[in-house]
Amino acid sequence: RQQAIGKATDRMILILQLQSLVRGFLERRRMFWLHYAASVIQATWRGAHDRLNYRLDVLDIVIAQSAVRRKLARVEADKRRAARDNKSATIIQTQWRGTYARMSYQLYILVVIEIQNFFRKAMAKRALEQLKFERDTTCATHIQTAYRGYSDRLNYTISVLAIVDIQCYARRMIAKNETNRMREEKQALQLEHENLCATKIQSAWRGFDDFSRFVLFLNSVIVLQSNWRRMTVRNDYLIEREERRNRSATLIQKEWRGFVGLTSFRADLYSIIM
């Protein structure tokens, strides 16, 4: 009888150790998934924060470029206006002086006028030929420009279609590989779940077979151990959850205050620039 009790006690100790290992494994896996979820949330928040900062930087650059271009356009307009006024004044002075000279020396320059008419006719003919040549050159340039633009647009459209086909094929291959990988992971998880279920069933059956002999004594011991471990794990989890919430709240408050301050500073800077 003492040997049977000793063997039963050894079995009970082994069963308790096995239960402790299984519970520790389950708790570690649960904590792993909790840490993984927290990492995913932090990565998402940091990506959104960086994209927002990038858009605000681009807006500041666009505003600065707009101000500089407006200033350069005003300077260029003033230069062109001054050049046009000078040219107009020069033309008016030239016409007036020519008219005054012709009226003053009308009788004296009749012969000169005839010579000038002949010379101007030749110059006008030459200028007309020059204008015709420039017009033909301009028309040819426009035609070449239109044809080259059409050819470039056609080549660009063909290139874009080819790139789209390549991207579709690459994305299809990536999606197929990802689907196969997810299917294999699912099968592995299912196999692991089946093994775990079989282990639990075997453990339960062996525990029932051994506990049936010492049900009164061992029932009280197991209940006491279970309650103590549950209370310990729950207290640790509550403490860790409260610390994680405090850290998350502090980080969110810090980022929000930085964002509000940066937005106010950029709004003031924009109002000063405009």
Side-chain angles (χ1 to χ4, degrees), residues 13-220:
I13 292 172
L14 292 175
I15 290 169
L16 293 176
Q17 290 178 354
L18 181 61
Q19 287 179 350
S20 177
L21 292 175
V22 172
R23 289 172 182 170
F25 170 75
L26 294 176
E27 186 64 21
R28 285 192 298 272
R29 187 177 65 178
R30 187 175 65 83
M31 293 303 296
F32 170 76
W33 284 111
L34 288 176
H35 287 300
Y36 176 75
S39 299
V40 171
I41 293 172
Q42 290 177 358
T44 304
W45 167 252
R46 290 171 182 170
H49 182 263
D50 293 338
R51 286 192 293 273
L52 180 61
N53 289 333
Y54 172 75
R55 292 178 180 175
L56 292 175
D57 293 338
V58 171
L59 180 61
D60 294 337
I61 293 171
V62 170
I63 292 172
Q65 289 180 347
S66 176
V68 172
R69 289 173 180 170
R70 187 184 298 110
K71 182 64 177 177
L72 293 176
R74 289 178 179 175
V75 172
E76 185 65 22
D78 293 334
K79 290 182 179 179
R80 292 185 178 180
R81 188 180 296 108
R84 185 187 60 189
D85 295 337
N86 292 332
K87 185 177 180 181
S88 300
T90 302
I91 294 173
I92 293 172
Q93 290 176 359
T94 302
Q95 295 296 328
W96 168 250
R97 290 171 183 172
T99 303
Y100 180 77
R102 285 191 297 273
M103 292 176 63
S104 300
Y105 299 96
Q106 186 176 4
L107 297 176
Y108 177 76
I109 60 172
L110 288 176
V111 178
V112 176
I113 290 173
E114 291 297 329
I115 297 173
Q116 287 180 349
N117 289 332
F118 178 79
F119 182 77
R120 289 172 181 171
K121 186 185 295 183
M123 292 295 294
K125 187 175 181 180
R126 184 179 298 176
L128 180 61
E129 292 176 356
Q130 184 67 27
L131 289 175
K132 288 181 179 180
F133 176 77
E134 291 178 357
R135 183 190 60 186
D136 296 337
T137 304
T138 303
C139 293
T141 302
H142 288 317
I143 293 171
Q144 290 177 354
T145 302
Y147 177 76
R148 289 172 182 171
Y150 170 76
S151 178
D152 292 337
R153 286 191 297 271
L154 182 61
N155 293 331
Y156 173 78
T157 304
I158 294 172
S159 300
V160 169
L161 292 175
I163 292 171
V164 169
D165 292 336
I166 294 172
Q167 287 179 348
C168 290
Y169 178 77
R171 290 172 181 170
R172 190 182 301 112
M173 292 299 296
I174 292 171
K176 186 176 180 181
N177 294 332
E178 187 67 18
T179 303
N180 293 331
R181 185 183 64 79
M182 292 176 66
R183 187 181 294 112
E184 292 175 358
E185 290 179 356
K186 183 178 180 182
Q187 292 177 357
L189 291 175
Q190 186 176 2
L191 180 59
E192 183 180 356
H193 180 68
E194 291 176 356
N195 293 331
L196 182 61
C197 291
T199 304
K200 287 183 178 180
I201 293 171
Q202 292 176 358
S203 176
W205 171 253
R206 291 172 182 172
F208 175 76
D209 185 47
D210 291 332
F211 290 164
S212 61
R213 299 180 184 181
F214 303 96
V215 62
L216 295 177
F217 176 74
L218 296 179
N219 187 26
S220 61

